Amino acid sequence: MRRTRPVTFSHGRACSMADMEPAIRFESVSKSFGEQVVLRGLSLDVSPGEFVTIIGRSGCGKTTALRLVNGLLTPDGGRVLVQGRDVARTDPVALRRGIGYAIQSVGLFPHMTVEKNIAYVPSISGLPGWKGRERRKKAEALLRQVGLDPDLAERYPRSLSGGQRQRVGIARALAAGPEILLMDEPFGAVDEITRGRLQDELLTLHSRSGITVLFVTHDIGEALKLGTRALVLEAGQIHQYAPPSEILNAPATPFVERLVCRSRRFEARA
């Protein structure tokens, strides 16, 4: 299983993540849609540089929790803090400049080249260095970072495979240099072999960059492979929030135990 690395500051002093302010904090967060309660008093901290996977059945609140982080949704009760700032009291444009967002459907603009898709957020945000040759160099560097040939920068999304489009979506999410990356089942629409490769590339990217990742999945095997910690949700409540090894060896509830058994049956068939 993966281990969380100590964080090292620019002056060289290392510290544990426990010593640092959480990158993301949920404080007694509740959220409903009409009469349907989706989150019930959700409280947890995500340390800087962690890779937290969120696993649970459809409707358990996984995507809702993710969208509360970048202000796409507002909690009915409680607070969501990003780097110490209350999301509900933060300018949403400024907030989202520091948060990358990658989703299953990718959402690339079909009339734009790969280069322009990658550069879209930095360009509309007015970030320096995203014009002309500089833009091309940065787009190519991001393509390499996600395991793609930089020559794809000139192509349009329609000419790419599903796995390539997904990688471009991740490159676009990283383009503005975010400290936090939110991912909502980003590999759900690709085949199993491509999915495995994308998972490995994401692990490498996380290891090199130290970015904080919140990753929603319905696949317990994926959650345990990728996460430094996994959050198991059921009916909007936390059943366990722990490193994958602890979830495997000491499931906290019967629901978590069933998920672990399912994962082991899948591994036995593989």
Side-chain angles (χ1 to χ4, degrees), residues 11-178:
H11 49 68
R13 181 178 64 85
C15 72
S16 70
M17 289 181 179
D19 297 328
M20 302 181 69
E21 181 177 69
I24 303 167
R25 168 171 281 176
F26 291 83
E27 294 182 348
S28 302
V29 173
S30 60
K31 182 65 181 177
S32 299
F33 297 100
E35 296 183 357
Q36 182 184 4
V37 180
V38 180
L39 292 176
R40 306 167 186 266
L42 184 70
S43 293
L44 64 96
D45 287 348
V46 177
S47 297
E50 281 210 279
F51 194 132
V52 173
T53 51
I54 307 176
I55 178 74
R57 291 188 284 201
S58 296
C60 72
K62 303 186 299 295
T63 295
T64 297
L66 207 68
R67 291 179 176 177
L68 288 166
V69 174
N70 63 356
L72 291 176
L73 294 174
T74 303
D76 298 328
R79 299 193 303 167
V80 180
L81 301 161
V82 172
Q83 297 172 330
R85 297 175 298 168
D86 186 341
V87 170
R89 299 177 180 272
T90 303
D91 175 66
V93 176
L95 173 74
R96 290 167 195 158
R97 282 175 182 162
I99 300 175
Y101 192 41
I103 57 178
Q104 179 176 326
S105 60
V106 186
L108 299 179
F109 298 111
H111 62 288
M112 291 184 181
T113 63
V114 166
E115 177 186 338
K116 289 182 178 179
N117 266 285
I118 291 173
Y120 180 75
V121 173
S123 297
I124 64 171
S125 300
L127 298 182
W130 282 93
K131 293 182 179 179
R133 290 183 180 179
E134 285 185 288
R135 183 182 74 183
R136 181 57 177 266
K137 287 181 180 179
K138 289 185 176 183
E140 289 179 348
L142 284 162
L143 288 171
R144 291 190 189 94
Q145 193 174 359
V146 297
L148 289 176
D149 188 328
D151 289 342
L152 293 179
E154 298 178 353
R155 292 170 61 175
Y156 287 85
R158 62 179 176 273
S159 67
L160 306 180
S161 68
Q164 288 173 328
R165 287 194 295 271
Q166 204 64 64
R167 288 178 174 91
V168 172
I170 296 171
R172 183 178 62 181
L174 295 171

Side-chain angles (χ1 to χ4, degrees), residues 233-249:
L233 288 179
E234 172 63 356
Q237 295 180 305
I238 297 175
H239 275 233
Q240 195 163 1
Y241 182 45
S245 58
E246 185 175 329
I247 287 175
L248 281 169
N249 297 320

Side-chain angles (χ1 to χ4, degrees), residues 167 187 190-203 222 225-226:
R167 288 178 174 91
F187 308 147
V190 297
D191 62 84
E192 198 64 33
I193 294 175
T194 302
R195 185 183 186 125
R197 289 174 180 167
L198 289 168
Q199 290 169 350
D200 291 341
E201 288 165 4
L202 182 59
L203 286 175
E222 182 170 67
K225 174 182 177 178
L226 294 179

